[in-house]
Amino acid sequence: MSRVLVGAGGRVGEEVQVEQGPSGPARFWRGQTRYLVGELLDSWVETAPWWQGDAGGGASAELVATRQVWRVEAVRPGRSRSDFAGVFDLSWEPTANQWLLVRVHD
């Protein structure tokens, strides 16, 4: 089961701070809590949902913009790998120049 996070204004995702490694996110901060990425499970590229386009009917830059998503398994520092914190989907939003936590998997 997974849960999609909704941020301000109904936009999908919660802003997080991410430190990149050579193949993707290496650690991230959600509020005051730090998570260490133990394993990169998957990554893919998405386009914005069509319903988030402009109301004028034309193709907006946001509609065709892509974002990179990484699914990671992360732990909190000081905890064992068997006591992992969870599986998270992190997204780099180039148009907004920010990282978002978009989904938490149970």
Side-chain angles (χ1 to χ4, degrees):
M1 184 161 175
S2 66
R3 162 173 59 118
V4 174
L5 301 175
V6 179
R11 192 180 74 193
V12 172
E14 176 184 308
E15 188 171 2
V16 292
Q17 300 300 315
V18 173
E19 183 179 308
Q20 285 249 172
S23 60
R27 58 185 57 95
F28 65 97
W29 289 260
R30 184 180 186 195
Q32 297 298 315
T33 306
R34 182 175 71 149
Y35 296 88
L36 300 175
V37 174
E39 186 174 346
L40 173 64
L41 301 174
D42 200 1
S43 68
W44 62 91
V45 175
E46 293 181 346
T47 56
W50 63 266
W51 59 87
Q52 290 180 353
D54 66 357
S60 70
E62 293 170 355
L63 182 60
V64 295
T66 61
R67 67 180 184 182
Q68 181 77 32
V69 181
W70 287 266
R71 180 163 293 160
V72 299
E73 181 181 275
V75 297
R76 291 186 194 104
R79 301 201 180 195
S80 70
R81 184 161 168 79
S82 63
D83 187 28
F84 77 99
V87 175
F88 304 90
D89 289 353
L90 299 167
S91 172
W92 169 246
E93 303 290 332
T95 56
N97 194 32
Q98 67 182 0
W99 282 93
L100 297 174
L101 174 61
V102 292
R103 178 170 277 133
V104 177
H105 301 270
D106 297 331

